[in-house]
């Protein structure tokens, strides 16, 4: 671990000795020591050429994607486009798209729009997928950071640039439309955008106006089958007074161990002084079938006014919306051996282990926790950002920029669900936790002696209603920001330009929720109106030995008739309830920076760079409330971060650059993580232990010290290759402590044992790696092959994170009993992408393949016997894009994603024996057009 404070002091001392420092807000030099040739081409080569020059001219280490044409990103969202950027990994493929982006393995990414921080409700950031790709001019991935940029984002910063009227010579109108099919959902959905821009010379100067609107709808279907967590069970030689194949009480073993219970054949537990052999078996197998309908409207408005040649004024407004309705049905089958084993079918173990692979059991009516469910979730986000600013060239050498920004964001959701439980299940249950390729199998065989066919799980008469779940949420956030930046060209030795500035930000976050009383009426689905029942079909595309359809409560019907459902369950007030407040936080940030650009010669070669420091002070006022909205506590918190930065660039030749960067970045705690109110989790499998979570108002910031070194060769105007080495040393990772406590939750009749998790700055980590990138369009190819090119990247990472284990002493105080070391969460050791490009005349196409190695995704709840770590198997995606210019104004496009129709899977640390979940994610196919004039 670097001694970060000593390094900071050294850099600040160097800063003082060279006086003042600065650079432009976009971190790109206005003047470069050599002329950069730009080849005027269109389409894919044009976009890659622009991205190359953004990287080359910038002092920071940055990669970019640039729209090939206005309104034409060749991907369904920005995250999918970013997966081709070196060092960027994407994951969480669900809901018809890729959702999460990491930079060099880290997920804490700051997203800005035109350099302005943007967030959703009470969060620190916005989901990048919520910004429609149709609005973008470019997106830049900053892997190092200058002092003039925000200090947040351990991983880096992604700055999204939208179009402005002065970007065009005159008027511009672009209409783009695509019809996208999600194969599993079997719908064609619209993705449309319209840009209108113009600029005029007037008596009071030049003015420009632009409006860009976008609307995207996605109807998707996600399907998954999961083998539940592991628990220990007595073998057939159970000691007195226990029965064979019953679950071993947790008083005889320790749930939630890092490595899990031993799984070698013949492993034993001490049960009342007797060494008793045990089996490890899953508690359940369940399938989830989810249909979603998502809409994303967005508007970008920009007005520019240049009254003279030394000043310019800008007003911008940005709106992004999000709407989603999700109908989910689940088939949950508890397969614990608390019932009679079918004597005709043996219990099969993985060879050399005590882990159960498959078996057969007699199902019975008294088995707990077998259910179907109908869940409806609806959510809505509205975010507005307004900015008014000016740019004044007060002299040839002095420039001032200032801006005031106001943004507000609100997110609301409602969850309404009901379970159905079996009335008649007395057949035989055949189960296989890994029936092939990591996918579980489940089959119910009819008992011919019963009056009803219990294998037909689509029969409404098999099911009756069970628990009702009624929740809602609202989160509100706003921010008022003022910033001023000054830039001055100087002649002070090697110092050529200084920049300094101030930023003031007042942020508020309010969090509300409502938990309804629920209830249980136990009515047969056969006795309720037909609309009450939903039966899905073709579940998991026939790729698993699992029921392909089942009867459940219809979630849409449930939501549409929720007032009647509430009345049926005896609510005092059957209307939608107003959520009560959980917390109210105000955070005021004051920030100042100073930086300088310098240039000199070393060994006859140009050496230039930038040195700076940013100081950020955050002060919080916090108030917390109980479930009834009563104030339970308040407090204050503050933190100060001093973030030095130093970047140097050495021009080894006209086309060969070397860079070195030392920077520091910070992450402040999420507002929700500060809330000390206890939340109680559900318990699907009836364990002795339940789960609960609690925030920590004393959380501090996470800090990272970063080193970067790169070598870049621009061997032609549209081709380049580069290599970069980097290291991140991170202090104060937020990691959850886990301990057993006795609590009485809202559903408990008496005090109950819980595993309580609470975040703390309890972990440190380090990350290092190597990146390789290539963009290459060969020259002098035969005519038919002219236009062939390749874009490729490879990232190799090595990460380590301290994982503390916690215990509670006799005074109830938490202490760290030991510290383990393992890879960082969400970090794949290897990833790569290869893009084959062909562009000829009016035709271009791109075939891209991305792959990332398996990685540790999360920790399981600490109440089971399997290893805690949940890993994702290697993920890949093959995508194709093609376009054809019918005329100068009209372009036709075809796009396809996930061509290999992947199944995405996870496992508990050991992929052969400890498979977990398998999910089908839709392929997409899209046809579109773009008309411009």
């Amino acid at each position: 671990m670097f001694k970060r404070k000593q390094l900071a002091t050294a850099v600040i001392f160097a800063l003082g000795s060279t006086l003042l420092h600065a650079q432009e807000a976009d971190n790109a030099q206005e003047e470069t020591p050599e002329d950069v040739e730009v080849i005027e081409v269109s389409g894919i080569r044009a976009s890659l050429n622009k991205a190359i020059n953004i990287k080359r001219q910038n002092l920071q280490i940055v990669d970019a994607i640039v729209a090939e044409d206005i309104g034409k990103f060749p991907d369904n969202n920005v995250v999918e486009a970013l997966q081709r950027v070196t060092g960027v990994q994407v994951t969480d493929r669900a809901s018809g798209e890729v959702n999460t982006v990491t930079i060099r393995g880290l997920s804490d990414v700051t997203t800005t729009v035109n350099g302005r921080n943007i967030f959703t409700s009470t969060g620190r950031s916005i989901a990048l997928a919520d910004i429609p790709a149709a609005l973008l001019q470019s997106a830049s991935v900053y892997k190092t950071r200058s002092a003039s940029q925000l200090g947040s984002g351990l991983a880096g910063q992604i700055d999204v640039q939208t179009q402005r009227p002065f970007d065009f010579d005159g008027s511009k109108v672009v209409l783009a439309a695509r019809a996208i099919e999600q194969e599993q959902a079997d719908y064609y959905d619209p993705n449309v955008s319209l840009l209108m821009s113009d600029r005029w010379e007037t008596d009071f100067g030049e003015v420009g106006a632009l409006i860009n609107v976008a609307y995207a709808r996605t109807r998707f279907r996600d399907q998954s089958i999961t083998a539940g967590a592991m628990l220990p069970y007595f073998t057939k030689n159970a000691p007195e007074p226990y029965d064979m194949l019953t679950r071993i009480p947790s008083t005889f073993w320790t749930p939630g161990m890092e490595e899990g219970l031993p799984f070698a054949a013949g492993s034993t537990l001490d049960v009342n002084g007797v060494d008793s052999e045990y089996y490890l078996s899953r508690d359940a197998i369940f399938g989830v079938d989810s249909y979603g309908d998502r809409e994303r409207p967005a508007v970008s408005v920009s007005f520019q006014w240049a009254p003279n040649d030394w000043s310019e004024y800008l007003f911008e407004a940005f709106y992004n919306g999000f709407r989603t309705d999700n109908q989910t049905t689940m088939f949950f089958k508890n397969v614990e051996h608390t019932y009679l084993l079918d004597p005709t079918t043996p219990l099969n173990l993985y060879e050399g282990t005590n882990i159960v692979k498959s078996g057969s059991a007699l199902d019975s009516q008294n088995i707990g926790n077998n259910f179907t469910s109908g869940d409806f979730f609806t959510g809505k986000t509205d975010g507005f950002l307004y900015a008014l600013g000016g740019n004044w060239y007060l002299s040839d050498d002095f420039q001032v920029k200032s801006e005031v920004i106001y943004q507000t964001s609100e997110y609301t959701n409602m969850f309404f669900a009901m379970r159905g439980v079996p009335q008649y299940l007395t057949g035989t249950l055949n189960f296989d936790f890994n029936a092939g390729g990591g996918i579980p199998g489940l089959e119910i065989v009819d008992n011919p002696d019963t009056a009803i066919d219990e294998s037909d799980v689509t029969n409404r008469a098999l099911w009756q209603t069970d628990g009702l779940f009624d929740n809602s949420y609202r989160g509100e956030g706003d921010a008022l920001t003022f910033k001023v930046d000054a830039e001055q060209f100087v002649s002070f030795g090697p110092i050529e330009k200084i920049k300094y500035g101030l930023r003031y930000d007042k942020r508020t976050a309010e969090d509300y929720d409502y938990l309804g009383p629920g209830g249980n009426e136990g009515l047969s689905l056969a006795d309720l109106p037909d609309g009450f029942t939903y039966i899905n079909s073709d579940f998991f595309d026939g790729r698993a030995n699992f029921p392909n359809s089942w009867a459940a409560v219809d979630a849409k019907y449930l939501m549409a008739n929720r007032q009647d459902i509430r009345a049926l369950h005896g609510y005092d007030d059957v209307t939608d309830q107003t959520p009560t407040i959980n917390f109210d936080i105000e955070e005021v940030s004051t920030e100042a920076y100073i930086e300088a650009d310098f240039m000199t010669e070393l060994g006859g070669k140009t050496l230039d760079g930038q040195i700076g420091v940013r100081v950020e002070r955050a002060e919080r006022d916090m108030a917390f409330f109980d479930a009834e909205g009563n104030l339970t506590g308040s407090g204050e918190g503050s933190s100060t971060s001093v973030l030095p930065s130093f970047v140097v660039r050495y021009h080894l030749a006209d086309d060969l650059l070397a860079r070195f960067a030392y920077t520091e970045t910070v992450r402040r705690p999420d507002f929700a993580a500060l809330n000390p109110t206890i939340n109680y989790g559900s318990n699907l499998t009836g364990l002795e232990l339940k789960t609960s979570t609690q925030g920590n108002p004393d959380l501090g910031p996470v800090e990272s010290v970063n080193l970067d070194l790169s070598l870049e060769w621009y061997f032609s105007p549209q081709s380049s290759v580069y290599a970069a080495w980097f290291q991140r040393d991170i202090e104060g990772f937020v990691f959850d402590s886990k301990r057993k406590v006795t609590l009485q939750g809202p559903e408990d009749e008496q005090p109950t044992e819980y595993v309580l998790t609470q975040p703390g700055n309890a972990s440190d980590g380090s990350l290092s790696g190597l990146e390789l990138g290539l963009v290459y369009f060969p020259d002098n190819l035969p005519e038919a092959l002219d236009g062939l090119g390749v874009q490729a990247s490879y990232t190799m990472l090595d990460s380590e994170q301290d994982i503390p284990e916690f215990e509670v002493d006799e005074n109830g105080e938490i202490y760290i009993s030991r510290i383990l070391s393992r890879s960082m969460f969400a970090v794949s050791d290897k990833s790569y992408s290869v893009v084959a490009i062909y562009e000829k005349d009016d035709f271009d196409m791109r075939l891209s393949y991305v792959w990332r190695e398996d990685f540790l995704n999360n920790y399981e709840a600490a109440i089971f016997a399997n290893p805690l770590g949940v890993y994702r198997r290697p993920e890949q995606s093959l995508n194709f894009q093609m376009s054809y210019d019918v005329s100068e104004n009209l372009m036709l496009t075809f796009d396809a994603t996930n061509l290999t129709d992947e199944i995405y899977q996870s496992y508990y640390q050991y992929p052969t024996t400890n498979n977990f979940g398998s999910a089908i994610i839709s392929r997409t196919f899209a046809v579109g057009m773009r008309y411009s004039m």
Side-chain angles (χ1 to χ4, degrees), residues 110-155:
T110 291
T111 301
T112 56
V113 175
N114 297 319
R116 307 176 188 113
N117 189 33
I118 189 168
F119 56 82
T120 297
S121 68
T122 62
R124 292 283 189 186
S125 60
I126 189 173
L128 194 60
D130 284 349
I131 303 176
L135 297 187
L136 306 190
Q137 178 200 65
S138 63
S140 297
V141 180
Y142 288 93
K143 300 172 182 178
T144 62
R145 208 77 55 84
S146 74
S148 60
Q149 291 178 289
L150 295 172
S152 61
L154 302 181

Side-chain angles (χ1 to χ4, degrees), residues 678 692-694 737-739 741 743 754-758:
I678 296 177
S692 58
T693 61
Q694 181 181 30
S737 65
K738 297 178 174 67
R739 64 189 190 275
V741 296
L743 302 169
Y754 280 82
V755 172
L756 177 67
T757 63
Q758 186 177 32

Side-chain angles (χ1 to χ4, degrees), residues 364-383:
S364 66
Q365 187 173 347
N366 61 359
I367 304 170
N369 302 303
N370 297 309
F371 61 86
T372 60
S373 70
D375 307 348
F376 195 89
F377 176 88
T378 181
K380 175 183 177 182
T381 298
D382 289 301

Side-chain angles (χ1 to χ4, degrees), residues 90-380:
V90 300
T91 190
D92 295 334
R93 297 176 185 270
S95 306
E97 64 186 10
V98 180
N99 292 277
T100 302
V101 60
T102 65
I103 301 175
R104 293 171 168 175
L106 298 177
S107 59
D108 179 39
V109 179
T110 291
T111 301
T112 56
V113 175
N114 297 319
R116 307 176 188 113
N117 189 33
I118 189 168
F119 56 82
T120 297
S121 68
T122 62
R124 292 283 189 186
S125 60
I126 189 173
L128 194 60
D130 284 349
I131 303 176
L135 297 187
L136 306 190
Q137 178 200 65
S138 63
S140 297
V141 180
Y142 288 93
K143 300 172 182 178
T144 62
R145 208 77 55 84
S146 74
S148 60
Q149 291 178 289
L150 295 172
S152 61
L154 302 181
Q157 178 176 320
I158 296 177
D159 184 41
V160 172
Q161 293 287 327
T162 61
Q163 305 284 356
R164 289 174 175 169
F166 285 3
D167 294 339
F168 309 108
D169 293 333
S171 65
K172 193 71 177 179
V173 177
V174 180
L175 173 64
R178 299 166 72 213
I180 305 174
E181 181 199 24
Q182 300 279 339
E183 187 178 43
Q184 296 295 329
D186 198 24
Y187 290 107
Y188 283 93
D189 295 317
N191 188 323
V192 296
S193 64
L194 174 65
L195 178 144
M196 295 184 294
S197 178
D198 206 350
R199 56 193 295 179
W200 307 270
E201 290 287 350
T202 70
D203 293 340
F204 46 87
E206 186 173 15
V207 297
L210 177 147
I211 183 169
N212 197 356
V213 298
Y215 171 81
R217 183 184 187 187
T218 304
R219 284 171 287 186
F220 58 87
R221 184 184 186 186
D222 290 343
Q223 303 161 83
S224 64
I225 301 177
T226 303
M230 287 183 172
L231 293 167
Y233 298 85
F234 289 111
T235 66
K236 295 180 180 181
N237 300 314
E240 295 290 342
Y242 299 101
D243 297 324
M244 67 175 185
L245 301 176
T246 57
R247 185 197 301 160
I248 300 178
S250 60
T251 52
F252 300 115
W253 58 283
T254 303
M257 294 192 300
E258 174 78 17
E259 304 87 353
L261 285 180
F263 55 88
S267 296
T268 62
L269 290 170
D270 183 348
V271 179
N272 294 328
V274 178
D275 288 337
S276 303
E277 289 191 19
Y278 61 90
Y279 293 139
L280 286 173
S281 183
R282 308 305 180 98
D283 59 349
I285 295 176
F286 57 94
V288 177
D289 197 354
S290 179
Y291 290 83
D293 189 348
R294 180 181 61 246
E295 297 175 281
R296 286 194 176 107
V299 181
S300 177
V301 175
S302 180
F303 295 98
Q304 289 178 284
W305 174 38
N308 45 54
D309 59 2
W310 57 269
S311 65
E312 182 181 311
Y313 300 89
L314 172 70
F315 171 79
E316 287 189 315
F318 185 81
Y319 164 77
N320 70 288
F322 175 84
R323 310 284 188 270
T324 186
D325 290 334
N326 291 73
Q327 177 183 8
T328 299
T329 180
M330 176 190 290
F331 187 90
F332 186 99
K333 192 66 176 172
N334 190 287
V335 292
E336 288 190 290
H337 304 300
T338 53
Y339 38 89
L340 296 175
L341 188 71
D342 186 345
T344 64
T345 305
L347 193 65
N348 299 311
L349 306 178
Y350 287 98
E351 184 177 356
T353 76
N354 63 1
I355 299 175
V356 175
K357 179 183 182 296
S358 63
S360 183
L362 297 176
D363 210 346
S364 66
Q365 187 173 347
N366 61 359
I367 304 170
N369 302 303
N370 297 309
F371 61 86
T372 60
S373 70
D375 307 348
F376 195 89
F377 176 88
T378 181
K380 175 183 177 182

Side-chain angles (χ1 to χ4, degrees), residues 1-7 106 154 662 664-668 700-706 728-735 760-767 800-802 824:
M1 185 71 67
F2 286 105
K3 297 181 179 179
R4 57 183 311 280
K5 296 303 179 185
Q6 295 179 5
L7 284 171
L106 298 177
L154 302 181
Y662 169 89
E664 296 189 23
T665 48
V666 68
R667 174 181 180 171
R668 296 178 194 161
V702 186
E703 298 178 325
S704 179
V705 174
N706 316 310
R728 307 283 182 262
D729 284 317
I730 303 171
E731 295 181 1
F733 264 131
V734 176
F735 189 80
N761 298 103
S763 176
D764 296 333
S766 63
L767 174 74
E800 185 177 71
Q801 181 176 351
D802 296 336
M824 283 185 180

